[in-house]
Amino acid sequence: MTLPFEVGVVVRDLELMERFYCDVLGCRAERRSVVPEAVGGPAGLGGELAVAWLRVPSGGCVKLILPRSDPVPAGAAASPAGRQGLSYLTFHLDDMDPVVAALPTAGARPLSDPVVVRARGRRISFWADPEGNVVELVDARADDPGPGHSN
């Protein structure tokens, strides 16, 4: 491997999702591009699409992909392990509390019950972003229960 890992997320609203991942999760918008039909079709991407590259503070990249045609809904699986294929994105944070506090206002909904769970020396929290993609937050503050914690 020559560069940090990248993941592509197909979205319905590129601007909304870019704001969500940048404003709430701390990603940085790097660039946008339109992939023409002449490239997207033969590459197996289904045709023309817009792509926004968001740099994750730790060095990876989330690529938000808006196809020219409507994306197929991901389904209604409530739990990340309840569907086959790419299940969720994990963001490792120093302290998840400010992010957990900002997520509901940004259109996300918690999937964890309680919202923050202590497990193996870490705290974890699962959320659905505004379009239903699952995001896991992890920090190493297991001694600090934070909001909505479990024992």
Side-chain angles (χ1 to χ4, degrees):
M1 299 236 180
T2 60
L3 293 171
F5 189 75
E6 297 184 358
V7 62
V9 179
V10 177
V11 301
R12 290 183 305 272
D13 185 330
L14 191 60
E15 287 73 24
L16 170 73
M17 298 305 285
E18 185 174 335
R19 279 192 312 273
F20 177 81
Y21 282 92
C22 290
D23 294 351
V24 180
L25 292 173
C27 295
R28 185 183 78 246
E30 283 195 338
R31 65 186 165 117
R32 279 192 181 201
S33 180
V34 173
V35 176
E37 164 71 35
V39 173
L45 298 172
E48 183 179 312
L49 45 98
V51 181
W53 280 263
L54 310 179
R55 184 63 51 198
V56 177
S58 60
C61 185
V62 174
K63 296 182 287 191
L64 300 178
I65 301 164
L66 178 65
R68 184 174 186 151
S69 59
D70 289 336
V72 176
S79 108
R83 60 181 171 206
Q84 187 176 1
L86 180 63
S87 185
Y88 56 91
L89 304 175
T90 300
F91 291 87
H92 292 269
L93 307 165
D94 290 329
D95 179 6
M96 77 168 65
D97 292 342
V99 175
V100 167
L103 284 167
T105 304
R109 63 182 172 80
L111 300 177
S112 302
D113 184 19
V115 173
V116 176
V117 177
R118 287 187 279 181
R120 296 185 177 170
R122 296 183 279 187
R123 295 187 311 158
I124 61 173
S125 186
F126 280 91
W127 291 78
D129 74 13
E131 290 192 359
N133 302 296
V134 178
V135 174
E136 176 191 28
L137 307 177
V138 178
D139 74 20
R141 297 182 64 200
D143 295 336
D144 176 5
H149 70 282
S150 73
N151 292 334

